[in-house]
mmCIF file of all heavy atoms in Angstrom:
data_model
loop_
_atom_site.group_PDB
_atom_site.id
_atom_site.type_symbol
_atom_site.label_atom_id
_atom_site.label_comp_id
_atom_site.label_asym_id
_atom_site.label_seq_id
_atom_site.Cartn_x
_atom_site.Cartn_y
_atom_site.Cartn_z
ATOM 1 N N ILE A 460 -198.510 7.017 -158.398
ATOM 2 C CA ILE A 460 -199.856 7.650 -158.558
ATOM 3 C C ILE A 460 -200.204 7.716 -160.058
ATOM 4 O O ILE A 460 -201.292 7.344 -160.494
ATOM 5 C CB ILE A 460 -199.940 8.986 -157.887
ATOM 6 C CG1 ILE A 460 -199.813 8.811 -156.386
ATOM 7 C CG2 ILE A 460 -201.222 9.721 -158.258
ATOM 8 C CD1 ILE A 460 -199.722 10.103 -155.603
ATOM 9 N N PHE A 461 -199.330 8.160 -160.873
ATOM 10 C CA PHE A 461 -199.526 8.257 -162.293
ATOM 11 C C PHE A 461 -198.635 7.183 -162.943
ATOM 12 O O PHE A 461 -197.454 7.329 -163.047
ATOM 13 C CB PHE A 461 -199.187 9.619 -162.841
ATOM 14 C CG PHE A 461 -200.001 10.741 -162.222
ATOM 15 C CD1 PHE A 461 -199.456 11.579 -161.325
ATOM 16 C CD2 PHE A 461 -201.338 10.872 -162.536
ATOM 17 C CE1 PHE A 461 -200.193 12.585 -160.710
ATOM 18 C CE2 PHE A 461 -202.126 11.852 -162.004
ATOM 19 C CZ PHE A 461 -201.523 12.705 -161.078
ATOM 20 N N ASP A 462 -199.284 6.116 -163.362
ATOM 21 C CA ASP A 462 -198.578 4.933 -163.845
ATOM 22 C C ASP A 462 -198.761 4.812 -165.367
ATOM 23 O O ASP A 462 -199.719 4.229 -165.784
ATOM 24 C CB ASP A 462 -199.000 3.700 -163.101
ATOM 25 C CG ASP A 462 -198.024 2.604 -163.197
ATOM 26 O OD1 ASP A 462 -197.163 2.625 -164.110
ATOM 27 O OD2 ASP A 462 -198.051 1.693 -162.326
ATOM 28 N N ASP A 463 -197.776 5.251 -166.123
ATOM 29 C CA ASP A 463 -197.904 5.175 -167.568
ATOM 30 C C ASP A 463 -197.229 3.932 -168.151
ATOM 31 O O ASP A 463 -197.270 3.741 -169.356
ATOM 32 C CB ASP A 463 -197.354 6.423 -168.241
ATOM 33 C CG ASP A 463 -195.864 6.657 -167.916
ATOM 34 O OD1 ASP A 463 -195.334 5.935 -167.032
ATOM 35 O OD2 ASP A 463 -195.262 7.532 -168.551
ATOM 36 N N LYS A 464 -196.673 3.056 -167.308
ATOM 37 C CA LYS A 464 -195.961 1.887 -167.788
ATOM 38 C C LYS A 464 -196.885 0.650 -167.831
ATOM 39 O O LYS A 464 -196.528 -0.338 -168.453
ATOM 40 C CB LYS A 464 -194.748 1.605 -166.956
ATOM 41 C CG LYS A 464 -193.703 2.651 -167.156
ATOM 42 C CD LYS A 464 -192.377 2.184 -166.605
ATOM 43 C CE LYS A 464 -191.454 3.347 -166.842
ATOM 44 N NZ LYS A 464 -190.134 3.147 -166.793
ATOM 45 N N LEU A 465 -197.989 0.691 -167.162
ATOM 46 C CA LEU A 465 -198.848 -0.468 -167.124
ATOM 47 C C LEU A 465 -199.795 -0.492 -168.319
ATOM 48 O O LEU A 465 -200.363 0.512 -168.691
ATOM 49 C CB LEU A 465 -199.672 -0.501 -165.799
ATOM 50 C CG LEU A 465 -198.960 -0.773 -164.547
ATOM 51 C CD1 LEU A 465 -199.883 -0.814 -163.360
ATOM 52 C CD2 LEU A 465 -198.130 -2.074 -164.620
ATOM 53 N N THR A 466 -199.874 -1.658 -168.906
ATOM 54 C CA THR A 466 -200.763 -1.844 -170.054
ATOM 55 C C THR A 466 -202.001 -2.629 -169.662
ATOM 56 O O THR A 466 -202.092 -3.128 -168.516
ATOM 57 C CB THR A 466 -200.008 -2.576 -171.178
ATOM 58 O OG1 THR A 466 -199.786 -3.929 -170.730
ATOM 59 C CG2 THR A 466 -198.703 -1.988 -171.537
ATOM 60 N N ASP A 467 -202.918 -2.733 -170.590
ATOM 61 C CA ASP A 467 -204.104 -3.580 -170.308
ATOM 62 C C ASP A 467 -203.807 -5.059 -170.435
ATOM 63 O O ASP A 467 -204.578 -5.904 -169.986
ATOM 64 C CB ASP A 467 -205.228 -3.167 -171.281
ATOM 65 C CG ASP A 467 -205.755 -1.777 -170.991
ATOM 66 O OD1 ASP A 467 -205.677 -1.339 -169.855
ATOM 67 O OD2 ASP A 467 -206.289 -1.154 -171.903
ATOM 68 N N ASP A 468 -202.694 -5.375 -171.058
ATOM 69 C CA ASP A 468 -202.272 -6.790 -171.254
ATOM 70 C C ASP A 468 -201.826 -7.266 -169.876
ATOM 71 O O ASP A 468 -200.843 -6.849 -169.313
ATOM 72 C CB ASP A 468 -201.128 -6.805 -172.234
ATOM 73 C CG ASP A 468 -200.613 -8.259 -172.509
ATOM 74 O OD1 ASP A 468 -200.714 -9.098 -171.608
ATOM 75 O OD2 ASP A 468 -200.112 -8.474 -173.616
ATOM 76 N N LEU A 469 -202.572 -8.279 -169.376
ATOM 77 C CA LEU A 469 -202.320 -8.790 -168.021
ATOM 78 C C LEU A 469 -200.960 -9.448 -167.876
ATOM 79 O O LEU A 469 -200.332 -9.310 -166.809
ATOM 80 C CB LEU A 469 -203.445 -9.725 -167.605
ATOM 81 C CG LEU A 469 -204.829 -9.122 -167.407
ATOM 82 C CD1 LEU A 469 -205.814 -10.140 -167.031
ATOM 83 C CD2 LEU A 469 -204.762 -8.034 -166.347
ATOM 84 N N VAL A 470 -200.495 -10.127 -168.917
ATOM 85 C CA VAL A 470 -199.196 -10.767 -168.853
ATOM 86 C C VAL A 470 -198.100 -9.719 -168.731
ATOM 87 O O VAL A 470 -197.183 -9.808 -167.939
ATOM 88 C CB VAL A 470 -198.981 -11.698 -170.077
ATOM 89 C CG1 VAL A 470 -197.535 -12.200 -170.089
ATOM 90 C CG2 VAL A 470 -199.983 -12.839 -170.100
ATOM 91 N N GLU A 471 -198.205 -8.691 -169.536
ATOM 92 C CA GLU A 471 -197.228 -7.587 -169.489
ATOM 93 C C GLU A 471 -197.297 -6.841 -168.171
ATOM 94 O O GLU A 471 -196.274 -6.433 -167.615
ATOM 95 C CB GLU A 471 -197.439 -6.629 -170.662
ATOM 96 C CG GLU A 471 -197.015 -7.192 -171.995
ATOM 97 C CD GLU A 471 -195.574 -7.656 -172.024
ATOM 98 O OE1 GLU A 471 -194.676 -6.907 -171.582
ATOM 99 O OE2 GLU A 471 -195.322 -8.793 -172.499
ATOM 100 N N ARG A 472 -198.475 -6.700 -167.657
ATOM 101 C CA ARG A 472 -198.652 -6.030 -166.344
ATOM 102 C C ARG A 472 -197.976 -6.840 -165.255
ATOM 103 O O ARG A 472 -197.278 -6.275 -164.393
ATOM 104 C CB ARG A 472 -200.162 -5.913 -166.075
ATOM 105 C CG ARG A 472 -200.473 -5.128 -164.794
ATOM 106 C CD ARG A 472 -201.951 -4.971 -164.614
ATOM 107 N NE ARG A 472 -202.479 -4.091 -165.605
ATOM 108 C CZ ARG A 472 -203.148 -2.968 -165.314
ATOM 109 N NH1 ARG A 472 -203.459 -2.722 -164.049
ATOM 110 N NH2 ARG A 472 -203.599 -2.152 -166.261
#
Side-chain angles (χ1 to χ4, degrees):
I460 293 172
F461 300 107
D462 200 339
D463 60 349
K464 292 194 181 198
L465 289 182
T466 66
D467 291 334
D468 181 331
L469 294 179
V470 173
E471 288 304 312
R472 185 178 288 237

